[in-house]
Amino acid sequence: MNDPHRGTRAMAEVRARFGSVHEQIDGRRFAGKLLLFVLLVVAGAILVRHGSVWSIACGVILLGLMYAHALELQHEALHSIGFRGRRANVVAGVLLGIPMLTSFSAYRAAHMRHHRYLGTPDNHEYFDYGDQYGHAERTRARTVLAWVYRFSMISLYRQFLVDTVRLASGRPVPGEKPATVRDIRRDHLLITAVLGTAVTVSVATGSTFAVWAWLVPVLLVAGPVHAAVELPEHYRCETGTTDVFRNTRTIRSNRLMAWYTNGNNFHVEHHLMPSLPIARLSRLHQITAPRALHFHRTYRDFYRSLRTPRSRAPLAGPQAEYDTPQ
């Protein structure tokens, strides 16, 4: 017989085996991530400024990759597990959201609700991709349009404009408390100030640097890459259950991707213990691996699996394709 409480007991058992999550957060590790991010952004800006076609192309790609990576770092900050102090996490998170016009406070509020309500009708994510979890049946043409919509990140930029106008006119943000609205307004004021300054300087000097160092990387690289990184988290999982081992996917991948996604590849583990420092997710994975229903060795394996219709897609559980690390 199916036990409706089996998933809950399994999650409680894993948490108990792994021990307390109330340990000291190593802010130096997160500071190191931020420093590397800044250095790579500077390197990308220098490449764009160099002027040759190949240099600009390499700079655009590097900057786009870093802007998408910034949202993964922002995700750590919004869980308050980057630095020990709340204020430091907020400052870092707000700044990290500027490149992709992402309000730290709006993202945090929506994301915490996502963790709370995943597997229920109240679950809604901050980044809207339309068919969020791949459950809709579409014609081939509508499927292509759905993928274009997802990877273009049009919804993010449209929502930024809508919220900016709403906040500028003094109207509340639906579903958010007054204190949260004030924080969202602060984020939008900062982002629009930076955006306005970039546009003003560009027009005044006749420079296209902001276009090649910000606009083009965001539209052509950062948006699609971010959508690609987020897609596997719950796509085609059993999002009608609150069992984390069934409604979320983990991808083991390699050290480079684990760094780039900032541990988000271990997504089952993250949803199981959202307050766990990112550095410990790989250790938790050793315990969760035998239980996770949706698992892939690499991101390439996951995207290859999308070619298989859902009705014929094999379960990607660890029993078939994973050897628990020692």
Side-chain angles (χ1 to χ4, degrees):
M1 294 179 63
N2 291 328
D3 183 354
H5 303 293
R6 181 179 179 182
T8 302
R9 287 200 297 269
M11 290 187 287
E13 178 186 337
V14 169
R15 292 189 184 106
R17 285 184 59 193
F18 195 69
S20 174
V21 301
H22 301 293
E23 61 178 49
Q24 292 293 328
I25 294 170
D26 187 359
R28 295 171 299 179
R29 185 186 296 271
F30 191 58
K33 295 178 184 178
L34 295 178
L35 177 60
L36 179 57
F37 163 74
V38 170
L39 291 176
L40 290 173
V41 168
V42 171
I46 291 173
L47 287 170
V48 169
R49 287 287 293 176
H50 189 271
S52 69
V53 174
W54 287 109
S55 176
I56 293 175
C58 290
V60 165
I61 293 172
L62 179 57
L63 287 170
L65 290 174
M66 287 303 100
Y67 295 158
H69 179 58
L71 293 186
E72 303 305 322
L73 296 175
Q74 187 186 49
H75 171 254
E76 184 173 1
L78 66 81
H79 278 284
S80 297
I81 53 178
F83 293 115
R84 296 182 186 181
R86 179 182 178 278
R87 184 181 297 274
N89 282 300
V90 171
V91 171
V94 170
L95 295 177
L96 286 166
I98 292 175
M100 289 193 67
L101 313 181
T102 302
S103 164
F104 171 76
S105 300
Y107 184 11
R108 179 176 58 184
H111 189 69
M112 292 308 174
R113 288 193 292 268
H114 164 61
H115 274 271
R116 190 179 307 121
Y117 298 124
L118 179 61
T120 75
D122 294 323
N123 173 52
H124 300 285
E125 296 200 46
Y126 178 74
F127 298 103
D128 176 22
Y129 302 111
D131 181 17
Q132 190 80 27
Y133 301 129
H135 297 320
E137 296 290 346
R138 288 189 170 94
T139 63
R140 184 183 297 272
R142 288 185 176 273
T143 298
V144 171
L145 290 175
W147 284 112
V148 170
Y149 180 81
R150 174 181 288 270
F151 285 100
S152 67
M153 296 287 289
I154 291 174
S155 61
L156 173 63
Y157 314 129
R158 181 181 61 193
Q159 191 61 48
F160 173 79
L161 291 174
V162 170
D163 287 344
T164 298
V165 172
R166 177 184 288 118
L167 292 165
S169 62
R171 289 180 291 163
V173 178
E176 301 297 356
K177 299 177 180 178
T180 302
V181 174
R182 287 195 297 270
D183 291 341
I184 295 174
R185 180 176 288 109
R186 173 206 61 203
D187 298 347
H188 276 257
L189 284 173
L190 177 60
I191 294 172
T192 52
V194 173
L195 186 60
T197 300
V199 171
T200 301
V201 171
S202 297
V203 172
T205 62
S207 171
T208 59
F209 177 73
V211 173
W212 293 104
W214 191 355
L215 180 63
V216 175
V218 164
L219 294 180
L220 297 188
V221 182
V225 168
H226 176 69
V229 167
E230 282 221 333
L231 177 65
E233 296 173 356
H234 307 287
Y235 197 76
R236 291 188 181 178
C237 293
E238 299 176 24
T239 52
T241 173
T242 56
D243 183 351
V244 169
F245 297 121
R246 305 182 74 86
N247 64 25
T248 307
R249 175 180 287 100
T250 273
I251 298 178
R252 183 174 61 181
S253 197
N254 53 54
R255 290 185 179 181
L256 177 62
M257 286 303 296
W259 161 76
Y260 184 73
T261 63
N262 199 30
N264 239 5
N265 55 310
F266 296 117
H267 213 62
V268 170
E269 295 74 16
H270 171 63
H271 268 270
L272 186 64
M273 291 185 169
S275 299
L276 189 69
I278 297 296
R280 296 195 67 196
L281 290 177
S282 60
R283 292 169 56 189
L284 177 59
H285 176 60
Q286 297 181 25
I287 299 175
T288 62
R291 299 179 182 274
L293 179 64
H294 301 283
F295 168 84
H296 285 86
R297 291 179 180 273
T298 66
Y299 280 88
R300 180 182 297 179
D301 285 350
F302 165 74
Y303 278 99
R304 283 176 175 171
S305 74
L306 296 183
R307 301 174 183 174
T308 305
R310 280 169 298 179
S311 59
R312 300 204 308 270
L315 293 179
Q319 304 297 333
E321 52 178 296
Y322 185 79
D323 296 322
T324 305
Q326 302 298 319

